[in-house]
Amino acid sequence: MQISGNQANRAAECRQSMQIILSFSALFLSVILLQLSTGGVAPLDALAGVQNGFTTTQIGLLGSSHFVGFFIGCFWAPRLIGSIGHSRSFAAFASSGTLGILFHTIIVDPYAWSIMRIMSGLCVAGCFTVIEAWLQAKFSNRNRGRAMGTYRMADLGAGFCAQLVIGVLDPSSYISYNILAILCCASLLPLLLTRIPQPATGMSPRLNPKLAYGISPVACAAVVTAGLTTSSFRMMGPIYGIEVGLNTNLIALFLGSFILGGAVAQYPAGWIADRFDRRRVMVALSGMAILSCIATVALSGSGPAGIFLGAVIFGMTTFPIFSVGAAHASDFADPEQMVDLSSSLLFLYAVGAIVSPFLSSALIVLAGPESMFVFIAVVHLVLCMFALIRMRLPRSRKQRTPYVYTPRTSFLIGRLIRRRRRDGK
C-alpha cells in the first residue's frame, strides 16, 4: 500500500506539473514570439545598415537607442499597468514595437531608425514587465521552480532561434522587417486570449543605485560589465562578422553560438557560485572572458569553425556574470529590498548597455574590428582588479542565497526570485 501511495503521489505531481505548464503556456508563447521578433531586430539592423551605407558609428547608435527605450520602459510599465491593466499595457507596448519595426521600411535613415529602436526597446521592457508581473502573481510555493525553469527555457531558446532567423532573412528586403513585425504583433494573441485572470497591480519599485552600491559594490561593477559586454557583442557582432569574412548565414550562427554558450554555462556557473565565494567566481569568469577575447581574435583567421568556437567560449564566460553579481548582492539584501535592488541593478546594466554599442562602434572605426574585444577585455580586467581589492575587505553575509539565472528583462524578476529564495526552492 505504501508503494502504491507513493506512485499515486508521483503521478499526481506529474499531472500537476503538466497542468502548470499548460496554464502558463499562453504567456510562454507570447515570450517566444516576442523574443523571435525583437531579438532579430538588432542583427538585422546591423546588416541592413551596412547595405544602406550607414557608418559603423551610426549602427552603434542604433544599439544604444534600443537600451534607452528599454530603460524608459522598465519604469514606465508599472505605472501604465496600474492605470489600464496588464492586457492593455501589453497591447500598447507590443504595438509600439510593431510600429517601430514597420517604420524601418518607410524611412531609411540612421537617426530615424534610432527613434524606432527606442520604440522596440520600450516594447521589450514593457512586455516583459507585464509577463513577469503575471507570472509573479500566479506562482505558488509548489510550482515556482518549475514555472521559472520553463520561463528561462522559453527566454533563452527563443533568443537563440532569433539569431538563426537572421540567416534566412534578406537585410535588403522590406519583407524581412514585415516578418519580424508580424511575429511581434502575433505575441499579442496568446496573452490577450488567455483565460488566466489578470493579477492585481503591485507597487512600483524605487530607483536607488546608491542602495545597490551600498549593498554590494562588486555586484554593481559586475552588472555594468555585463551591460558593456553583451550589448556590445549583440549589436556590433554582425559588423565584426562581416569584417572577418562571414556571410549572412554564418553571422546568424556566430551570434547564435554566443547565446548557446551562455545558456550552456548557466548551470555549471550556478553550481560553482553556490559553493564558493561569488567574488572569486566573478574574478574567474572575468579572467576567462579576457582569455576568450584573446582566443576569439586569434581564431578569427582560422575559418568559421574557429570563429564559432570563440563565440561559444565568449558566451560561456560573459553571460553568467550578471546572474552571479545579482546573487552576490542578494546575499546582503533584506527581503523587502529585493525589488528595489533588482530595479537598481537593471538601471546600472542599462547604463552600460546604452554606452557600449556606440563606444564599441567608435573604436572599430578607429582601430579595426578587433578593438571591440580589446575594449571588452579591458572592462573585465577592471572588474577583476576591483573585485580583488574588495575581497581584501572582510565582510560577512546575512544569508547565502541560491544562484538563479537572472534574465535582463524587467525589475519584476526580483520579486520572482525573492519569493523563490524565501521559500528555499
Side-chain angles (χ1 to χ4, degrees), residues 84-325:
I84 64 175
H86 292 71
S87 294
R88 290 181 178 179
S89 297
F90 187 92
F93 287 118
S95 298
S96 170
T98 302
L99 291 172
I101 296 172
L102 287 175
F103 273 121
H104 278 73
T105 63
I106 299 175
I107 306 173
V108 181
D109 178 83
Y111 301 106
W113 280 19
S114 296
I115 297 174
M116 299 168 198
R117 289 304 304 276
I118 292 176
M119 296 174 68
S120 68
L122 189 69
C123 166
V124 171
C127 288
F128 274 103
T129 297
V130 171
I131 290 171
E132 289 172 8
W134 214 309
L135 294 176
Q136 172 200 336
K138 300 303 176 182
F139 283 2
S140 67
N141 294 351
R142 296 178 62 86
N143 60 32
R144 186 166 294 116
R146 291 186 292 269
M148 283 189 67
T150 306
Y151 174 63
R152 292 196 297 269
M153 288 176 59
D155 174 53
L156 282 174
F160 173 74
C161 292
Q163 311 308 309
L164 302 185
V165 167
I166 300 305
V168 298
L169 297 180
D170 180 6
S172 63
S173 174
Y174 74 93
I175 296 176
S176 300
Y177 282 101
N178 285 354
I179 291 174
L180 295 184
I182 289 171
L183 289 171
C184 188
C185 189
S187 69
L188 283 162
L189 297 177
L191 187 137
L192 294 179
L193 295 177
T194 182
R195 299 172 65 181
I196 303 175
Q198 294 189 56
T201 304
M203 293 181 62
S204 301
R206 293 176 299 160
L207 177 59
N208 191 356
K210 185 178 179 181
L211 167 70
Y213 188 84
I215 291 174
S216 175
V218 175
C220 293
V223 298
V224 171
T225 299
L228 289 168
T229 299
T230 56
S231 65
S232 177
F233 185 88
R234 296 183 75 165
M235 190 65 209
M236 302 310 299
I239 305 300
Y240 176 84
I242 291 172
E243 294 290 339
V244 298
L246 298 179
N247 59 33
T248 302
N249 292 333
L250 294 181
I251 287 174
L253 292 174
F254 175 59
L255 298 175
S257 298
F258 166 66
I259 295 179
L260 178 63
V264 170
Q266 290 301 327
Y267 181 81
W271 187 88
I272 294 171
D274 281 343
R275 285 159 179 80
F276 300 95
D277 188 331
R278 300 198 207 274
R279 295 172 297 182
R280 294 182 183 275
V281 176
M282 281 187 272
V283 169
L285 286 171
S286 282
M288 290 187 290
I290 294 171
L291 295 177
S292 73
C293 289
I294 297 172
T296 302
V297 174
L299 293 170
S300 62
S302 60
I307 296 173
F308 296 159
L309 177 61
V312 169
I313 297 173
F314 182 72
M316 292 177 68
T317 56
T318 57
F319 238 84
I321 286 178
F322 183 97
S323 297
V324 175

Side-chain angles (χ1 to χ4, degrees), residues 396-417:
S396 59
R397 59 177 174 267
K398 295 181 179 179
Q399 181 180 2
R400 192 171 180 86
T401 56
Y403 173 94
V404 178
Y405 159 63
T406 311
R408 281 83 65 190
T409 49
S410 86
F411 67 88
L412 285 174
I413 198 69
R415 290 179 181 168
L416 303 177
I417 294 171

